[in-house]
Amino acid sequence: MTVIVPGSGHIAIGKRVVGWFAVTVWLGVLGGGGYLLWKFRTDRAQVLSWFTDTDVLLLARAGIVAVAVLWVILFLDAWRLASPSRLNFMRAALITVLNLAIIAGVAGSTAYASQLIKVSRDTVKVVFKATKTSEPLKGRYNILLLGSDARADRTGVRPDSMTVASVDADTGKVVLVSLPRNLQNVPFSNGSPMRTIYPYGFNCGAECLLNAVYVTAEGRPDLFPNSKTPGLDATIDAVQGVTNLKINYYVMVNLNGFKGLVDAVGGVTIDVQTRIAMFGHDDAWKNTYIEPGKQKLDGQQALWYARSRVQSDDYDRMGRQKCLMAAMVNQLDPQTVLLNATKIARSGKELLSTDIPAKELGQFADLALKARGQKIRTVSVVPPAFNTVTPDFPAIQAAIQKAIDKSESTVAPTKKPTPTKKSGAAANQTDDLNAAC
């Protein structure tokens, strides 16, 4: 009875004061939960935000521990009231073992939940420590996703992957805009300090590629006196100049730590279209590949799938990276996240740096759930559609805007779309990323 309704056993045996106190507390917890469920049944973003609010998490942790302690006290008292000393050995042993098993279950579940909340809270405090919020522009959030490859043998950070996820703030519909690392002559947005030395774009020669903006700006901290990361600020200015999209937030992903996230969720299923080399030019002797076919990739394989350029090129891997993003969006359902929350939280501290504030996480979690199952459109500034040496930036911006307009359109297409040929390159320009992958 104490398992089903705490305090009911005490009432049945005549211990009414303790019993009714426990029942009242239990009914209060259930009633409060039911009220919150009814009141916020249509506001999923608010509910999700509670799971990322450090104050709420701290209160929840304290509440869980307090309830568990009181419940264990009730179990011990219920065992005492059962008067096991008056029973024969077998019955007394059965009651004692059963009671200890129940207590162990409650204590173990409480310890797990408490640790889960602690790790999640610590992650939110470490990763999402920004406080400044950015309102959507024209109903869209534009989030710059950067893949960094900072290593001891490399000078500075040269982002290997740059993608703007343009997300409808109401529907969650996504347009992915990918920029190649070797894009030249990139303009900087109005007001950028970099425009003072590069008024006609980043045109200082063949070495002045888009991914070199970061290192160049890091060497000119005088241009960004109030910035801790001049290279990041300059890169954002360049991406805004190329796309004509205002960047609300950035997320920098450590590619060498990315495999930890994939392993944390038990792998990611990908339909591999062509053989992918799991080695570079300097270690071709390894001769290890990801073979074609639909399969679940572990973290190491997923990293090579996203980064490999042997027997491939920058543009093909850009397409594969988008396929990997789409697979993660579709496969990271709430159940998977909950069951692996501790591992995900721990990998997140090593994986991410971002200026998304914690107070926005509920909103973005809700948009991520809305995005699942919807078509993801892509625009990639790659040949043959665009020249990366002498880019036509007005044409690039027009193509991006066209994709956004199509994404926001509620008018059904008048003709059946042509089936998309699956390949890494096909994922670069498509109205349905899942179909291209």
Side-chain angles (χ1 to χ4, degrees):
M1 293 180 73
T2 304
V3 172
I4 300 171
V5 180
S8 60
H10 286 70
I11 294 175
I13 207 167
K15 302 294 183 180
R16 298 184 180 278
V17 175
V18 174
W20 278 114
F21 173 78
V23 169
T24 302
V25 171
W26 182 247
L27 292 178
V29 170
L30 293 180
Y35 170 75
L36 292 176
L37 181 65
W38 174 80
K39 182 175 178 60
F40 296 98
R41 63 191 183 282
T42 60
D43 193 354
R44 185 171 58 184
Q46 178 60 57
V47 174
L48 291 170
S49 71
W50 292 336
F51 290 92
T52 54
D53 186 305
T54 55
D55 293 332
V56 172
L57 290 175
L58 181 61
L59 183 63
R61 189 182 184 200
I64 287 174
V65 172
V67 169
V69 168
L70 291 175
W71 209 355
V72 167
I73 291 173
L74 284 177
F75 285 131
L76 291 173
D77 198 42
W79 174 81
R80 179 185 65 82
L81 293 174
S83 301
S85 60
R86 295 187 301 138
L87 304 176
N88 62 41
F89 175 78
M90 290 301 297
R91 290 184 178 183
L94 177 62
I95 289 176
T96 302
V97 170
L98 178 62
N99 200 53
L100 289 174
I102 293 173
I103 291 174
V106 171
S109 299
T110 302
Y112 176 78
S114 178
Q115 177 63 16
L116 177 61
I117 292 173
K118 179 182 182 300
V119 173
S120 300
R121 185 171 181 268
D122 290 345
T123 301
V124 171
K125 291 175 67 176
V126 171
V127 179
F128 301 96
K129 54 189 175 183
T131 57
K132 184 179 179 181
T133 60
S134 178
E135 295 298 319
L137 183 65
K138 297 180 180 178
R140 303 190 72 84
Y141 286 106
N142 299 310
I143 304 168
L144 176 59
L145 310 175
L146 297 162
S148 75
D149 189 23
R151 301 194 305 261
D153 61 345
R154 297 186 69 170
T155 302
V157 175
R158 288 178 180 263
D160 277 359
S161 172
M162 284 163 279
T163 299
V164 178
S166 183
V167 186
D168 188 291
D170 294 321
T171 65
K173 291 182 178 179
V174 179
V175 176
L176 295 178
V177 180
S178 293
L179 306 179
R181 67 187 184 92
N182 62 337
L183 191 64
Q184 297 186 34
N185 301 305
V186 295
F188 295 96
S189 56
N190 292 329
S192 171
M194 294 291 281
R195 282 181 71 108
T196 60
I197 53 177
Y198 299 107
Y200 304 107
F202 196 46
N203 58 353
C204 49
E207 292 299 315
C208 283
L209 309 178
L210 176 56
N211 75 333
V213 170
Y214 199 111
V215 174
T216 301
E218 286 291 315
R220 293 295 308 270
D222 55 301
L223 296 176
F224 300 85
N226 299 319
S227 174
K228 295 181 180 179
T229 53
L232 178 59
D233 291 343
T235 300
I236 291 174
D237 291 344
V239 171
Q240 290 182 149
V242 172
T243 63
N244 198 33
L245 297 175
K246 175 184 176 294
I247 301 300
N248 296 93
Y249 300 109
Y250 80 89
V251 176
M252 175 134 355
V253 179
N254 181 342
L255 293 181
N256 289 317
F258 171 73
K259 60 184 179 181
L261 174 63
V262 176
D263 286 335
V265 298
V268 58
T269 300
I270 295 285
D271 189 359
V272 181
Q273 299 301 315
T274 58
R275 208 181 193 202
I276 305 297
M278 291 183 64
F279 52 82
H281 294 290
D282 297 331
D283 55 358
W285 54 269
K286 291 183 178 179
N287 200 33
T288 305
Y289 295 87
I290 302 172
E291 299 297 338
K294 191 171 184 178
Q295 56 192 293
K296 178 170 284 191
L297 307 182
D298 62 22
Q300 182 72 5
Q301 292 171 320
L303 184 61
W304 278 108
Y305 177 84
R307 299 195 58 208
S308 180
R309 284 190 290 165
V310 174
Q311 302 171 8
S312 181
D313 57 30
D314 276 337
Y315 310 129
D316 189 67
R317 78 169 182 171
M318 285 172 64
R320 296 198 306 270
Q321 287 168 0
K322 283 188 279 293
C323 287
L324 191 56
M325 291 181 198
M328 296 291 278
V329 167
N330 291 328
Q331 295 172 38
L332 285 185
D333 55 80
Q335 181 180 355
T336 300
V337 172
L338 182 61
L339 292 176
N340 299 280
T342 301
K343 295 179 182 178
I344 293 172
R346 286 174 177 162
S347 68
K349 288 192 283 189
E350 302 173 358
L351 175 73
L352 298 177
S353 60
T354 181
D355 63 346
I356 296 177
K359 66 176 65 176
E360 291 279 69
L361 290 180
Q363 167 79 356
F364 285 123
D366 184 51
L367 290 175
L369 290 174
K370 289 179 179 178
R372 296 183 69 234
Q374 297 202 58
K375 290 182 178 180
I376 298 176
R377 286 176 166 79
T378 67
V379 178
S380 299
V381 183
V382 299
F386 303 101
N387 189 313
T388 58
V389 178
T390 57
D392 183 346
F393 292 108
I396 292 171
Q397 294 167 6
I400 294 171
Q401 189 57 51
K402 181 179 179 180
I404 290 175
D405 291 341
K406 289 176 68 176
S407 174
E408 292 179 340
S409 175
T410 57
V411 179
T414 56
K415 62 179 182 178
K416 190 175 181 179
T418 304
T420 303
K421 180 182 178 181
K422 292 188 176 184
S423 70
N428 282 322
Q429 315 283 355
T430 179
D431 288 339
D432 188 351
L433 181 56
N434 287 320
C437 293

